[in-house]
Amino acid sequence: MRKKRANLQKQAWKNGHEARFEQMVSEYHKEKAVLEAMTAGSEEYDKQKKLCEKLFANAERFFKQHQ
């Protein structure tokens, strides 16, 4: 029985992190869509591109830590 309880705790932990990762990915996709609507070369475009790169790196790091 102990093994089953430990497995349930691990599963609950995993589901919580999956929800957080999905949120991070959806935020990235939303900002990426805004970036694609902008014209390349402008100052706003560069700021948005940096934001997208930062969001992607955060999501990638989070995924690697909780894999």
Side-chain angles (χ1 to χ4, degrees):
M1 282 199 173
R2 268 191 153 180
K3 198 170 194 178
K4 186 175 183 181
R5 181 175 178 222
N7 190 17
L8 290 175
Q9 288 176 344
K10 184 177 181 182
Q11 185 179 11
W13 180 80
K14 182 178 178 184
N15 288 338
H17 288 296
E18 287 177 359
R20 175 70 178 129
F21 182 69
E22 287 178 12
Q23 178 191 12
M24 294 174 88
V25 170
S26 66
E27 184 179 351
Y28 168 74
H29 285 297
K30 182 178 76 171
E31 296 298 331
K32 186 72 171 176
V34 171
L35 177 68
E36 291 175 357
M38 294 180 163
T39 58
S42 66
E43 186 177 324
E44 292 176 0
Y45 180 85
D46 293 337
K47 288 181 182 179
Q48 188 69 19
K49 186 174 180 180
K50 283 184 180 182
L51 176 64
C52 288
E53 290 172 356
K54 180 182 172 185
L55 290 173
F56 183 80
N58 288 343
E60 186 177 33
R61 189 178 326 112
F62 184 85
F63 180 76
K64 286 180 180 179
Q65 287 177 349
H66 298 97
Q67 194 174 19

